[in-house]
Amino acid sequence: MWANPDWRGSLYPPHGGRGDWLADYARVFSAVEGNTTFYSGAPQANTVATWARLAPEGFRFCFKLPQYLTHERRLIDINAELEGFFAALSPLSDRLGPIMIQLPRSFGGDELPALATLLERWPTEIPCAVEVRHSEFFHKGTAESDLNRLLITHGVNRVMLDVRPLFSTLAGNHPGMVQAQAEKPKRPLHVISTGDFPLVRFIGHLDNAVNSDYFGAWVNRLSLWIKQGKTPFLFVHTPDNRQAPELARRLYERVAATVALPPLEPFAGERQNQLL
């Protein structure tokens, strides 16, 4: 999400209150990956109302389906809970980007019928993206073919998790690298657009030279999708996420140099520091 105190002094003013963070974030970036709903479920009505008030019209929230639906219930008999989840987010209906269905690593090809049932009843007005982590979805075999065919049929986007920068070196003694390499699934990158909203999660390294090398091919692919009329979403992480806004800005500028994208606004913290 946007509530990261480590971004004080860069993306956020050094002494600003938390209540301004979403507005400051949305002044620069046009979308956010919402992890809160994955762990905590549907947000409270007053919280959603505040988000709706602070986020500008063109901003997009890309929330994750709660893990109790994906990991505990494994998408089985979740109709009532799903309706409640979407109802809670309804004040943001015009500002919802792809809602992510992040499936557990144990969710394999034999459970695709449950995903198919969910996608058949998914609201057509809400974009959807699916992130799989089971190894058989990365072997270009029957399971992956069935998955891609299912997503294409419903116009659902397959989340592309690019962990190559993160795993390009040993973690060493940096605790953020150690934790990130332990938590992120080490899966091959399969670049495919199965819907109109390609969604890339780029997990960066502490070394910006490594990030630059691995992002090179993404510049051309993202530019191509934009020229094709698609709306790609790029979310950027770093091992401890302290430098994520700066990395996102650098990567955005590389894409903007190839297609007509508006420049990003200066970071609030940097702007304030220049005035001091």
Side-chain angles (χ1 to χ4, degrees), residues 8-77:
R8 286 192 175 110
S10 58
L11 183 60
Y12 305 139
H15 306 295
R18 295 172 64 95
D20 298 324
W21 285 355
L22 175 56
D24 286 332
Y25 180 103
R27 196 173 291 115
V28 178
F29 299 114
S30 59
V32 67
E33 178 183 322
N35 286 321
T36 298
T37 54
F38 181 74
Y39 297 105
S40 304
Q44 297 294 320
N46 60 335
T47 299
V48 177
T50 299
W51 294 346
R53 176 174 54 83
L54 294 176
E57 183 177 343
F59 191 77
R60 294 294 179 264
F61 293 89
C62 299
F63 295 109
K64 290 183 180 179
L65 213 60
Q67 65 175 344
Y68 72 84
L69 302 181
T70 56
H71 289 53
E72 297 176 24
R73 301 282 289 276
R74 304 184 79 87
L75 308 184
I76 301 296
D77 296 330

Side-chain angles (χ1 to χ4, degrees), residues 250-273:
R250 285 195 298 270
L251 301 185
Y252 178 91
E253 289 172 348
R254 291 184 63 182
V255 178
T258 66
V259 290
L261 295 178
L264 296 180
E265 292 291 326
F267 288 1
E270 295 175 347
R271 190 171 59 244
Q272 189 174 101
N273 288 336

Side-chain angles (χ1 to χ4, degrees), residues 106-160:
S106 59
F107 191 104
D110 59 332
E111 294 185 84
L112 281 179
L115 177 61
T117 298
L118 173 61
L119 297 183
E120 287 169 1
R121 67 181 313 277
W122 193 271
T124 56
E125 68 276 11
I126 299 178
C128 176
V130 174
E131 180 177 331
V132 291
R133 297 189 167 189
H134 196 292
S135 61
E136 68 180 359
F137 292 125
F138 298 88
H139 291 163
K140 299 185 182 298
T142 301
E144 184 170 15
S145 296
D146 291 345
L147 169 68
N148 290 341
R149 187 180 306 111
L150 173 64
L151 300 181
I152 291 171
T153 297
H154 292 280
V156 170
N157 310 277
R158 177 171 176 173
V159 175
M160 289 160 276

